[in-house]
């Protein structure tokens, strides 16, 4: 019988399937459900840098001019941050699986000290979802990427728990970028976030949000990069996040070299049972192939291990399109 336990960010997981950050991981009851369904870990809903910074400002204003602060406003902001610490602590007490906290951020200062509070509350690790849109044409790619590295440096100085970084899909040279993240001390990389995308409503001439849930097809854009990043000489775990709906999807990412996979949209469409189904399907497939552990096949189809690595490259693109009739 196969076993699907794994190590991720130095933590022991009973399954490589993680309930990814979303509203499904913002309450203790649903985190308990995720564990019961067989999730190897949960990543909590993100707290936003803006929430932390606004709390810090409110507290500073209250200290210098107590009467100038609107108490209710202050309370609401503070409460969201305190509620988060409470969620971390309660989740840790309620489940045995690792509880990974998450902060959505865009700058390397103003909120970093707060990460220490998250560690003290008992988080097993911290996932930082770094998201900013470069809107200044004078800012170079190097300048933008330096923000990521500074965030990792600052967190590494303050925290003892592992830090993983969730990034978007588009960088000029993802291999160099991820290697630099590794050199700065990231323990893991989450590939990838699915950012808010604007869409156009041509009838009402409005900008509207595009669908927030992924489509399984989007997995194809991610598979190549998991396969290429995992083939590099870096001891940095990869968690694949995008388009995991079935056991087959999870197996593909593991074959590409992912340490874990995260499910999110599938939870919205099918509930937590999808995690149980994915675990069962991985077991069935492993038993059929006589694989005993995930290490028996993890990375088997990555850029380093396949016979013809050009299948990941430009030459394949030329062949593919010129032979298509
Ligand atoms: C409703 C919803 C809320 C989400 N909230 C967060 C969040 O708070 N923090 C975060 O890092 N990612 C968040 N995500 C992104 C997911 O964790 C995940 O990375 C993304 O949806 C791609 O995975 P999927 O194809 O399984 O949905 C959210 C996604 C959805 C659909």
């Amino acid at each position: 019988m196969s076993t699907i336990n794994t190590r991720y960010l130095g933590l022991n997981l009973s399954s490589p399937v993680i309930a990814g950050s979303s509203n499904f991981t913002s309450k203790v009851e649903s985190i308990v459900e995720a564990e019961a369904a067989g999730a190897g870990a949960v990543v909590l809903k993100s707290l936003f840098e803006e929430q932390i910074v606004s709390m810090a400002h409110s507290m500073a204003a209250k200290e210098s001019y107590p009467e100038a602060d609107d108490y209710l406003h202050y309370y609401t902001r503070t409460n969201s941050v305190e509620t988060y610490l409470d969620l971390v602590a309660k989740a840790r007490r309620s489940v045995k699986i690792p509880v990974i906290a998450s902060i959505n951020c865009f700058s390397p200062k103003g909120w970093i000290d707060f990460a220490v509070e998250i560690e003290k509350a008992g988080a097993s690790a911290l996932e930082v979802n770094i998201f900013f849109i470069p809107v200044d044409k004078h800012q170079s790619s190097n300048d933008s990427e330096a923000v990521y590295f500074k965030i990792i440096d600052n967190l590494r100085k303050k925290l003892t728990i592992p830090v993983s970084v969730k990034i978007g899909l588009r960088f000029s040279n993802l291999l160099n970028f991820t290697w630099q993240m590794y050199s700065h001390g990231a323990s893991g990389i989450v590939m990838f976030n699915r950012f808010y995308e604007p869409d156009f409503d041509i009838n009402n001439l409005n900008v509207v949000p595009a669908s927030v849930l992924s489509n399984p097809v989007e997995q194809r854009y991610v598979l190549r990069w998991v396969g290429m990043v995992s083939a590099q000489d870096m001891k940095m775990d990869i968690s694949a996040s995008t388009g995991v709906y079935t056991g087959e999807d999870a197996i593909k990412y593991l074959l590409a070299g992912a340490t874990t996979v995260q499910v999110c949209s599938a939870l919205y469409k099918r509930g937590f049972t999808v995690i149980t189904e994915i675990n069962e399907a991985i077991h069935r497939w492993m038993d059929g192939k006589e694989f005993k552990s995930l290490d028996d096949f993890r990375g088997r189809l990555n850029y380093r291990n396949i016979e013809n690595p050009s299948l990941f490259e430009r030459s394949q693109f030329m062949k593919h399109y010129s032979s298509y009739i």
Side-chain angles (χ1 to χ4, degrees):
M1 171 72 178
S2 53
T3 55
I4 59 168
N5 56 312
T6 192
R7 297 238 336 140
Y8 175 60
L9 308 178
L11 306 162
N12 289 322
L13 272 57
S14 55
S15 155
V17 184
I18 294 176
S21 181
S22 76
N23 298 328
F24 272 96
T25 56
S26 63
K27 291 190 195 71
V28 174
E29 306 79 63
S30 41
I31 291 165
V32 169
E33 266 190 78
E35 179 179 53
V42 289
V43 183
L44 301 183
K45 170 87 185 147
S46 298
L47 188 64
F48 285 82
E49 171 178 338
E50 290 88 336
Q51 288 173 279
I52 302 167
V53 170
S54 105
M55 174 204 68
H57 286 166
S58 293
M59 289 178 86
K62 195 170 166 62
E63 270 158 29
S64 17
Y65 309 103
E67 67 288 353
D69 198 45
D70 173 335
Y71 180 71
L72 198 58
H73 206 187
Y74 162 74
Y75 178 78
T76 321
R77 289 162 165 178
T78 308
N79 208 33
S80 66
V81 170
E82 300 214 318
T83 307
Y84 198 79
L85 294 177
D86 209 39
L87 173 67
V88 174
K90 283 199 179 121
R92 268 316 289 281
R93 285 198 298 273
S94 310
V95 292
K96 291 200 174 64
I97 55 175
V99 173
I100 301 170
S102 164
I103 295 180
N104 183 310
C105 59
F106 58 90
S107 74
K109 42 186 194 288
W111 62 272
I112 301 281
D113 283 337
F114 182 75
V116 178
E117 300 304 313
I118 287 186
E119 174 167 324
K120 281 194 211 147
S124 315
L126 177 67
E127 184 177 291
V128 278
N129 177 347
I130 304 177
F131 176 41
F132 59 89
I133 301 282
V135 287
D136 175 359
K137 66 176 176 298
H138 300 295
Q139 189 181 31
S140 70
S141 311
N142 277 347
D143 294 340
S144 298
E145 292 181 4
V147 175
Y148 289 74
F149 309 141
K150 194 74 197 150
I151 291 173
I152 300 169
D153 289 343
N154 289 350
L155 287 171
R156 282 274 42 102
K157 278 186 215 140
K158 300 268 177 178
L159 300 183
T160 58
I161 53 174
V163 174
S164 64
V165 186
K166 186 171 186 178
I167 59 168
L169 169 63
R170 292 179 179 86
F171 288 89
S172 307
N173 182 350
L174 200 59
L175 298 185
N176 175 270
F177 177 63
T178 50
W179 176 76
Q180 291 210 58
M181 289 208 302
Y182 169 62
S183 309
H184 282 264
S187 303
I189 171 174
V190 183
M191 299 168 70
F192 295 102
N193 198 358
R194 225 177 141 264
F195 296 126
Y196 158 84
E197 302 285 356
D199 195 1
F200 288 174
D201 173 347
I202 60 167
N203 293 321
N204 296 307
L205 300 180
N206 274 345
V207 179
V208 292
S211 167
V212 71
L213 300 184
S214 71
N215 182 312
V217 170
E218 291 173 40
Q219 180 202 116
R220 291 211 310 258
Y221 306 117
V222 179
L223 206 53
R224 169 209 306 271
W225 292 113
V226 173
M228 293 192 64
V229 173
S230 78
Q232 311 304 312
D233 246 346
M234 300 189 276
K235 288 195 179 61
M236 184 165 65
D237 291 332
I238 297 174
S239 192
S241 165
T242 293
V244 178
Y245 283 79
T246 63
E248 190 178 327
D249 299 331
I251 291 164
K252 285 184 186 175
Y253 278 137
L254 295 167
L255 281 167
T259 313
T260 58
V261 300
Q262 301 195 4
V263 284
C264 176
S265 293
L267 298 179
Y268 282 88
K269 292 188 181 166
R270 296 177 38 215
F272 283 115
T273 49
V274 80
I275 295 179
T276 317
E277 287 163 19
I278 293 174
N279 281 341
E280 286 169 359
I282 298 174
H283 273 300
R284 264 197 313 277
W285 178 82
M286 286 175 68
D287 292 341
K289 296 263 175 230
E290 299 187 356
F291 291 134
K292 298 274 176 268
S293 74
L294 298 180
D295 285 338
D296 289 348
F297 69 94
R298 182 184 277 124
R300 176 80 74 100
L301 297 185
N302 80 6
Y303 187 61
R304 189 201 324 226
N305 292 332
I306 56 172
E307 222 168 88
N308 180 8
S310 74
L311 288 170
F312 281 89
E313 292 172 2
R314 176 182 160 81
S315 54
Q316 200 54 29
F317 169 86
M318 291 160 65
K319 189 170 146 208
H320 188 62
Y321 283 100
S322 52
S323 61
Y324 190 84
I325 304 170

